[in-house]
Every structure is written in C-alpha cells, then in structure tokens.
Amino acid sequence: MRDGVPVRGEKAPPKLRRPTIKDVAERARVSVSTVSYVLNESGPVAPERRERIFAACKALNYTRNGAARKLRGDFAAAIGLVVPDLSNQYFALLAEGVERAASKRDVLVVLCAPDLEGTTDSTNSRLLRSQRLDGVLYLAGSAAPVEALRQLTEVGPVVLVDERIPGFDVPSVVSDNRRGACEIAKLVLAAGHTRVAVVGGPSTLWTAGERLAGYRDAMVSAGLDPDELIVAEGDYRQGSGTVLAEELLRGAAGRRPTALLCANDLMAVGALEFCRSAGLSVPGDVSIVGFDDLPLAALLQPRLTTVRQPAGDMGRRAANLLLDLIEGSEPVDEYFPVSVQVRGSVAAPKKVRR
C-alpha cells in the first residue's frame, strides 16, 4: 500500500459496510419504523427512545446518505408513484402525502396516472423500469395487476398503498377497512334498517373484499343473516354509483332497500345524484353512507356519513417506508385506524320513524 493505493499484486482492503437504518434500530433497541419516525419527524416517539436513537446514529456514524439520497450520474434519487385516478380526491390526497414526504428527504417522485395516459399496467411497468428509479409506490385501481407488479420489483422495492394482494410478498400501507365498514354498517342497522344493499367496489380488490366482509360482520352482530345483503359490484367511480343506485332503488317503496352502503364516497355521490334526479329524499326515503371521507363529503346535501381514512398520513408513511426499504430496512406492513363520521345522510326508515 502506497499513499492509500494498493501496489501491483497487493489486494485492496475490504470496503466497510455503510450502517443502515436497521443497524440503528438494533443498537437503539427499537423498531425500524420508530427510527424512521424520529429521523423524518413523521410520528410521535417518547423522549427516552429518541435519545437512544440519536445516540445510536452517533455511535454508528450513520447519516441519511444511502440509496434514497445519492446521486447517480446526473440523476437525483427518485421513486415512482402509480395513481389509478387523480379525479378521485382520495388518491390525490394520498399522492400529496407521498410528495411531501419524498420532498423532505430530497427525493423526486415520478407520477404515472393510467387514466390520464391511456396506458395499461404493463406499459406503466415498462415506463417506470426505464426511469432509473430506486423503488415504486403502487395504488391499485380496479384490478390486481400481479404481473405488472412483479415486473416493477425488478426496479427495486415496491410498496402497495391502500391495497394488499394475497400471495404477493411486498409490504403495504392500508387502513382498517373491515372494522370501518363494520362500524358504519352497525350505525345504519341501529337506525332500524333491515333491507340494506351494498354498492361495492371491484371484487378483485382487497379493499372491496374487506369492506364487504365488514358489512357482513355487522349483519351477524345484529342477529341478521349476512346473505340477505343485496350486493352490487361497482368500480369505485361516481358513475357506477349512479347506475347501481338506479338498479337497486327502482322497485316499489315497500320492497326496495331503505339504505345503501357505498364502498367509497365517489359511488355515494353517484347514488345521491340518482336519488335527486328520481325525486327520492335522502335520508327520508333512503339512507346513504360512504367510505373515505373526502373533503366534499361534508359539503354535500345532505352531508355524507362516511368512514374517515387518513389519506395524507398514509401517503407520507408509504413514502418513508419505501425510502427506508431502499436504505436497507426490513419490510413491514402498516395499518392505520379509521373512524366513522356521523353526518346527515342516515335516519330511521319511514316505517319505524317516531
């Protein structure tokens, strides 16, 4: 070795491995998620744990200088974000959360919106693989594109947002869909409704399955037969809510459903639109609930009773989880709590109103 350079015939010294966020977590005796919350100021952590984490970072000489912050040639570190439908406020709020978290860590976000581009999932995966990305966040829309996702894993880590795909081993960030659907259905049943219909999401999606399971749980809890639920499959878009509401509510007043459980707010908006055009009062003739709690839910007439999902927080956590994976942390699944927002779109059916 001469002046730090190996001479001919002499082996170069082995490179020291850069400490990862996982090393910090192990030394501080906390989870990787807790380290991420502290370093990114993205969640509450007890002062004593924060001190242990900072001490571990100092002892290991750990800096946020891994794959998520490096420069590669003339290209800054970047992640991809697949959003199925930006006209849906829920997806837009998730995307905003992703962008804020990525910007805070000096990472670019490459947006892919199939509805805007008229592209298929396979085309999107090829596009994203060509962008020299470090990883991809995927928000599923109306199907479970397993092959496209498999192709995206060739880019780097993949994190599913607001969706899970059984048998596909990638981490996900989701909310407690089943509990939220169960709680809002219990609210409707407690108001006295027994003829209840579901305006559901695409049967291929995990979220739609979880919400339907939650509605059925509520039926069982109320001593009702869950098979008596009338289920119509929509596509999470407003238009399908309008069409399905017309199909479900076209019968005579004594036979049609007195309540619609809509699996998202956009389909609930569509159902409200049909009721208005058909001269049906909400909640006088039919009660309607949604899921998501979009900003518009509180502005509708009547104001929509729905399940609140923390879209922005989920987007921020998904971005930080992906960047942590890029830096070497272990994959984890994240669950967010939900809450029912009671407003004016639910009332007792006419036959039991006092």
Side-chain angles (χ1 to χ4, degrees), residues 207-241:
T207 52
E210 287 291 288
R211 293 171 195 180
L212 180 57
Y215 299 144
R216 291 172 64 88
D217 289 344
M219 293 283 286
V220 172
S221 179
L224 300 173
D225 183 356
D227 292 334
E228 291 183 358
L229 269 179
I230 304 166
V231 181
E233 183 176 334
D235 62 7
Y236 281 157
R237 291 181 170 86
Q238 181 175 335
S240 71

Side-chain angles (χ1 to χ4, degrees), residues 81-86 110-128 131:
L81 172 62
V82 179
V83 181
D85 184 5
L86 281 176
V110 177
L111 179 66
C112 241
D115 275 5
L116 295 180
E117 299 163 4
T119 57
T120 65
D121 288 311
S122 293
T123 302
N124 281 321
S125 67
R126 287 196 299 272
L127 173 63
L128 291 169
Q131 297 297 311

Side-chain angles (χ1 to χ4, degrees), residues 231-259:
V231 181
E233 183 176 334
D235 62 7
Y236 281 157
R237 291 181 170 86
Q238 181 175 335
S240 71
T242 303
V243 170
L244 294 180
E246 181 177 7
E247 292 178 3
L248 292 166
L249 299 174
R250 64 170 49 143
R255 295 196 301 270
R256 68 188 180 217
T258 60

Side-chain angles (χ1 to χ4, degrees), residues 259-293:
L260 299 182
L261 306 174
C262 298
N264 79 340
D265 284 355
L266 279 187
M267 292 193 298
V269 170
L272 286 166
E273 183 178 58
F274 165 74
C275 290
R276 189 174 298 112
S277 66
L280 295 175
S281 168
V282 179
D285 296 312
V286 59
S287 292
I288 294 177
V289 300
F291 202 110
D292 287 338
D293 194 26

Side-chain angles (χ1 to χ4, degrees), residues 79-83 91 94-96 98-99 109-113 128 133 135-139 161:
I79 58 174
L81 172 62
V82 179
V83 181
F91 290 133
L94 275 169
E96 181 182 7
V98 169
E99 171 58 32
V109 178
V110 177
L111 179 66
C112 241
L128 291 169
L133 302 174
V136 174
L137 296 169
Y138 203 103
L139 283 69
V161 190

Side-chain angles (χ1 to χ4, degrees), residues 323-346:
L323 296 177
D324 291 343
L325 288 172
I326 292 167
E327 292 187 343
S329 70
E330 294 295 322
V332 295
D333 290 326
E334 295 277 351
Y335 282 84
F336 279 76
V338 296
S339 59
V340 174
Q341 305 301 302
V342 180
R343 300 193 177 105
S345 63
V346 176

Side-chain angles (χ1 to χ4, degrees), residues 36 39-42 64 68-69 79 93-109 137 312-323:
S36 178
L39 298 183
N40 299 303
E41 299 178 5
S42 58
R64 303 307 300 268
R69 294 179 62 87
I79 58 174
L93 291 169
L94 275 169
E96 181 182 7
V98 169
E99 171 58 32
R100 291 194 177 200
S103 176
K104 192 170 184 179
R105 293 172 72 165
D106 298 329
V107 174
L108 300 176
V109 178
L137 296 169
D313 292 341
M314 290 170 65
R316 284 188 287 274
R317 181 65 196 122
N320 282 319
L321 173 59
L322 179 63
L323 296 177

